[in-house]
Amino acid sequence: MQGLEHELKNPPPQKLVVEGVSKQFKIRRNIVQALDNVSLQVREGEFVCLVGPSGCGKSTLLNIIAGLEKPDTGQVLADGQPVTGPNRMRLMMFQESALFPWLDVLGNLMFSLNLKPNLSRKERREVAKFYLHLVGLEKFAHANIHELSGGMKQRAALARSLAPNPAVLLMDEPFAALDALTREQLYGDIQRIWEQRRKTIVFVTHNVREAACLGDRVVLFSPSPGRIREQFTIDLPRPRDINSVALAEHTTKITRALKRYLPGAATEVAE
Amino acid sequence: MKRWMHALVIFAVFAVVWEILVRVGLIPEIFVPPPSRVALYLGKSLWDGTLLDASGVTLRRLLLGYLVGLAAGLPLGLLNARFKFMEDTVGMLALGLQTLPSVCWVPLALLWFGQTETAMFFIVIMGSLWSVILATDAGVRNVSPIYIRAARTMGSRGLHTWIKVIIPASLPFIVSGMKQGWAFAWRSLMAAEIYVTILTGFGLGHLLHYGRELHAMEQVVGIMLVIIMIGLLADKVLFSPWERFLYRRWGKEKA
Ligand SMILES: Nc1ncnc2c1ncn2[C@@H]1O[C@H](COP(=O)(O)OP(=O)(O)OP(=O)(O)O)[C@@H](O)[C@H]1O
Ligand SMILES: [Mg+2]
């Protein structure tokens, strides 16, 4: 991890800069230090995975980067500008799908596209159809949300997040609810999309193998207080296969580190 | 279609049994008129126009009053959910007044507006307004915050979030509030029409009232049937489409 001073001396070509962010929550009488002086830089077009055990503040950090929550101290810069609120260029995908039940699948995609100016109605529909096809839901354009399986919901939510073409995609355990096969297919899809569109992605997961498969860099968190402990660069060629041997080496290394900060606690390592 | 047939057969059997019971004298005719006489009354009053006129008068009062109640109740409910001081004032008022049967407004309405249509509207509005406010308020408060967060990251703000996210997300509550408001409006109008003679028009409630005065129980029962039919029809026309939409979109659990 680079020091703050270094960071300030070299104005960064960074897409996202998290500077000394701390966040506390009061739960009844107790104060939970969800994030403690967390700093993180993400380059443009980088795929960063945040891993760590439950409750170490990963979702909180993502919310702060999205501008949905304010940090107690520190700040987040996006393209050098302080983040003051949510912005369409930093789209967030949630643990639950958060699809709108009053709209059908296509309607949900159109919701995000309609908020994007300078597109004709026809173009919007074309874009929506394209992303529905990408996640394999083209036959379900007019399905109601409650008719989709958990996995299909997440795929629809992914399509909805991708459709307005955000520069930064913040993903909070988006695949946790998917079956292994769909998930593998989506690992391929998301790597392809990421490569084509050069999106900056911050991806939260419990699954170390998933993190190593997707990320350029894996950032390891430890809980109470939530801190960044270690970062691992994954320099494997893409597209990566979740089952490859080279990947397993990285996974082992990260898992070992994870256990160091977490004596006795169980974490999902891989399937 | 088949369900209609079932209902028809059941009700026909019921009417025949009733008719027989009255004819053989098991039920005294002064208490319960036989269905044949009710049918006769309905036919006659339909023919001479009194029934249609009265239904027209009642429905006009009901619809106008209800629409005003909705038009005021929906925005007030939204404002309540949005602003604390509205909740503390209008919200409290709504909570209190919703428990007040709106016939209780009749004396004041007569004092303020005299024996006019306005008095009737006022009573209908007082009947429907509060439950619409409360349901809308509750609906907005029950919107899952994750919808709002998702919308905000997609660039939705302020009014857009309200119109495109919060209001549709509270639809299940709003529709059931509208339905409740309708039922209350209907009840209060009937009560008002029975209690008060308004010279600008005789509604169904008045016919019911005069039926009692004249001991014409076939008229009373006939009007009751008409009131039931109008209620069922309103349910089908006004609320069924909404409920079908909710059921289709939300699935079973919520609609
Ligand atoms: N809105 C909130 N109010 C109170 N406490 C909160 C809130 N959000 C998060 N916390 C607390 O902050 C800590 C970090 O939560 P967070 O959701 O960021 O963890 P996480 O790393 O995403 O966990 P998981 O992997 O289970 O999703 C937890 O202890 C949680 O209880
Ligand atoms: Mg989380």
Side-chain angles (χ1 to χ4, degrees):
Chain A
M1 207 167 68
Q2 291 172 327
L4 181 62
E5 253 183 51
H6 175 88
E7 186 55 49
L8 292 178
K9 251 182 260 158
N10 303 301
Q14 308 283 10
K15 190 76 186 168
L16 295 170
V17 179
V18 179
E19 285 177 349
V21 162
S22 299
K23 179 86 184 174
Q24 287 184 345
F25 290 106
K26 267 208 196 75
I27 303 177
R28 306 240 174 87
R29 291 281 177 74
N30 300 322
I31 290 179
V32 176
Q33 189 77 34
L35 292 171
D36 181 28
N37 195 18
V38 167
S39 294
L40 179 71
Q41 294 86 40
V42 182
R43 283 193 316 280
E44 172 135 31
E46 194 179 13
F47 199 137
V48 172
C49 290
L50 313 182
V51 265
S54 193
C56 64
K58 305 180 298 288
S59 298
T60 307
L61 180 60
L62 225 52
N63 282 330
I64 290 174
I65 296 175
L68 288 170
E69 272 175 50
K70 298 245 174 309
D72 296 337
T73 63
Q75 64 170 347
V76 176
L77 303 177
D79 293 320
Q81 297 299 312
V83 168
T84 53
N87 186 299
R88 187 172 50 243
M89 292 328 288
R90 281 172 277 117
L91 260 185
M92 176 123 172
M93 215 184 127
F94 298 89
Q95 255 162 333
E96 311 107 277
S97 72
L99 292 168
F100 300 145
W102 57 92
L103 299 171
D104 61 14
V105 171
L106 185 65
N108 269 277
L109 266 76
M110 294 303 283
F111 181 95
S112 66
L113 284 166
N114 283 338
L115 282 161
K116 205 179 161 170
N118 310 326
L119 277 178
S120 74
R121 195 168 164 70
K122 190 160 157 285
E123 286 167 331
R124 291 195 170 110
R125 288 188 83 85
E126 273 169 13
V127 174
K129 289 265 161 69
F130 170 81
Y131 282 105
L132 277 183
H133 181 78
L134 184 69
V135 297
L137 286 178
E138 65 272 50
K139 288 209 188 89
F140 294 87
H142 294 291
N144 297 307
I145 301 308
H146 72 94
E147 294 162 341
L148 303 181
S149 71
M152 287 155 82
K153 278 186 195 149
Q154 272 323 63
R155 280 146 74 194
L158 176 64
R160 183 176 74 171
S161 309
L162 289 170
N165 197 17
V168 177
L169 210 50
L170 306 167
M171 308 176 84
D172 193 349
E173 299 184 44
F175 301 156
L178 302 191
D179 62 278
L181 269 175
T182 317
R183 221 188 300 183
E184 272 185 42
Q185 188 189 333
L186 278 165
Y187 293 152
D189 283 336
I190 197 137
Q191 288 187 72
R192 196 176 67 240
I193 295 159
W194 172 76
E195 218 137 291
Q196 277 171 10
R197 314 307 303 263
R198 297 319 289 179
K199 284 189 193 315
T200 308
I201 299 183
V202 183
F203 188 104
V204 167
T205 174
H206 278 124
N207 187 323
V208 175
R209 185 183 276 270
E210 179 173 285
C213 174
L214 295 177
D216 292 321
R217 187 150 54 102
V218 176
V219 178
L220 188 61
F221 276 71
S222 74
S224 40
R227 277 193 187 134
I228 293 180
R229 290 301 186 147
E230 259 178 75
Q231 307 204 25
F232 302 85
T233 307
I234 316 285
D235 48 7
L236 298 173
R238 292 178 189 271
R240 297 174 190 160
D241 178 4
I242 185 92
N243 297 312
S244 80
V245 182
L247 197 71
E249 273 170 34
H250 285 278
T251 311
T252 319
K253 199 169 68 185
I254 299 168
T255 308
R256 205 177 292 138
L258 187 61
K259 292 215 171 112
R260 237 191 342 268
Y261 301 111
L262 231 210
T267 308
E268 186 188 352
V269 174
E271 306 296 89
Chain B
M1 224 55 267
K2 207 154 168 215
R3 281 169 58 208
W4 276 100
M5 290 299 289
H6 287 165
L8 212 65
V9 168
I10 294 284
F11 284 124
V13 168
F14 178 70
V16 167
V17 171
W18 171 9
E19 181 82 32
I20 291 170
L21 286 180
V22 177
R23 287 278 172 98
V24 300
L26 271 173
I27 305 176
E29 204 173 328
I30 26 169
F31 291 144
V32 185
S36 54
R37 275 183 49 205
V38 174
L40 207 66
Y41 165 76
L42 285 177
K44 197 162 61 63
S45 54
L46 208 61
W47 181 251
D48 67 17
T50 40
L51 198 57
L52 286 184
D53 285 350
S55 304
V57 167
T58 296
L59 277 179
R60 207 189 64 232
R61 288 172 180 158
L62 184 66
L63 283 174
L64 278 178
Y66 180 62
L67 284 182
V68 173
L70 273 189
L74 290 174
L76 279 174
L78 296 177
L79 289 172
N80 276 3
R82 174 68 182 76
F83 297 108
K84 186 89 181 75
F85 75 90
M86 287 289 287
E87 181 73 18
D88 293 342
T89 53
V90 180
M92 281 294 279
L93 198 69
L95 211 56
L97 289 182
Q98 199 217 8
T99 61
L100 184 74
S102 59
V103 225
C104 302
W105 287 104
V106 171
L108 278 183
L110 286 177
L111 182 68
W112 292 342
F113 306 110
Q115 291 188 318
T116 60
E117 290 295 306
T118 318
M120 285 292 178
F121 289 142
F122 179 74
I123 291 161
V124 173
I125 293 168
M126 288 299 119
S128 56
L129 179 64
W130 312 113
S131 47
V132 173
I133 292 182
L134 291 176
T136 309
D137 188 359
V140 171
R141 284 170 193 286
N142 275 288
V143 174
S144 168
I146 195 162
Y147 294 147
I148 298 169
R149 291 153 74 87
R152 286 179 65 208
T153 73
M154 287 186 270
S156 172
R157 293 281 178 284
L159 205 59
H160 184 273
T161 309
W162 277 88
I163 292 172
K164 295 287 186 172
V165 182
I166 296 176
I167 293 178
S170 20
L171 259 188
F173 278 83
I174 293 179
V175 169
S176 75
M178 281 167 59
K179 219 174 150 173
Q180 201 188 9
W182 171 263
F184 282 156
W186 196 205
R187 267 149 232 226
S188 43
L189 179 60
M190 277 308 107
E193 283 190 348
I194 289 172
Y195 282 123
V196 190
T197 302
I198 298 254
L199 301 172
T200 48
F202 293 104
L204 289 171
H206 300 121
L207 288 185
L208 197 75
H209 179 68
Y210 291 129
R212 197 201 64 176
E213 303 257 287
L214 301 169
H215 271 290
M217 282 308 129
E218 73 275 10
Q219 177 168 344
V220 170
V221 174
I223 297 298
M224 282 169 67
L225 283 177
V226 171
I227 291 174
I228 292 172
M229 294 314 279
I230 290 179
L232 284 176
L233 205 70
D235 200 64
K236 279 270 167 296
V237 173
L238 293 180
F239 300 111
S240 280
W242 287 100
E243 286 177 333
R244 270 203 303 276
F245 170 78
L246 292 180
Y247 186 83
R248 187 158 50 83
R249 279 285 198 254
W250 265 261
K252 284 181 192 156
E253 353 93 80
K254 256 199 168 162

